[in-house]
Amino acid sequence: MVIFEAARAITELSNVKSLESTSAVTAFQLLSSSYKPGLRFATVQALNKVERFYSKFFFLVFVVLFMS
């Protein structure tokens, strides 16, 4: 849960560039395969926020999560 909160905090910072938040997206990738359904749901919600703020960055999110 600490990893999720850290990744979420990184993506919610206003001065973070899309390239700098790739580590947070990688952490979300690891958390999306959790056995806890609440954590998976929270990860999807956080990725939705990432997509809204970094719409150009969403392609990288898609590649990292679904093509690996």
Side-chain angles (χ1 to χ4, degrees), residues 2-55:
V2 173
I3 295 171
F4 170 77
E5 289 298 328
R8 188 182 58 81
I10 289 172
T11 58
E12 289 183 356
L13 291 173
S14 62
N15 58 353
V16 174
K17 306 227 181 337
S18 61
L19 186 60
E20 295 170 341
S21 60
T22 56
S23 60
V25 173
T26 304
F28 287 142
Q29 177 188 9
L30 294 173
L31 294 173
S32 67
S33 63
S34 174
Y35 65 92
K36 297 179 181 179
L39 191 56
R40 286 193 312 256
F41 180 74
T43 302
V44 170
Q45 283 186 328
L47 284 173
N48 186 25
K49 284 186 180 181
V50 169
E51 189 271 331
R52 276 189 265 149
F53 288 116
Y54 306 112
S55 59

